[in-house]
C-alpha cells in the first residue's frame, strides 16, 4: 500500500472529525453531570471578591 499525501490528509480529516465530535460530547457530559453542579456554582459565586460590588 502506497501512502500518499492525499491518503494522509483524508485520514486526518476523517479521524480528526470523529475525535473532535467525541471530545465535544465528553466535555458536554462533564459540564452537565449533576455531581459537578456545586463546583460550577461555587466557581460562579467566587469569581469576584466580596468587596467587588457594582456602584449604587
Amino acid at each position: 500500500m502506497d501512502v500518499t499525501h492525499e491518503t494522509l490528509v483524508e485520514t486526518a480529516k476523517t479521524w480528526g472529525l470523529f475525535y473532535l465530535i467525541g471530545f465535544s460530547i465528553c466535555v458536554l457530559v462533564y459540564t452537565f453531570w449533576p455531581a459537578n453542579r456545586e463546583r460550577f456554582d461555587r466557581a460562579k459565586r467566587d469569581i469576584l471578591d466580596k468587596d467587588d460590588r457594582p456602584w449604587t
Side-chain angles (χ1 to χ4, degrees):
M1 178 178 171
D2 189 25
V3 179
T4 63
H5 180 263
E6 289 80 19
T7 305
L8 291 176
V9 169
E10 181 180 345
T11 303
K13 284 184 177 182
T14 302
W15 291 109
L17 174 65
F18 291 144
Y19 170 77
L20 288 176
I21 289 171
F23 186 72
S24 299
I25 289 170
C26 291
V27 167
L28 286 173
V29 167
Y30 174 76
T31 302
F32 293 109
W33 199 261
N36 292 330
R37 177 181 289 279
E38 178 59 33
R39 178 184 300 161
F40 291 135
D41 286 341
R42 187 175 58 242
K44 181 175 69 173
R45 283 192 316 269
D46 294 343
I47 192 70
L48 298 175
D49 294 329
K50 292 183 181 183
D51 295 335
D52 293 337
R53 296 284 183 211
W55 291 34
T56 56

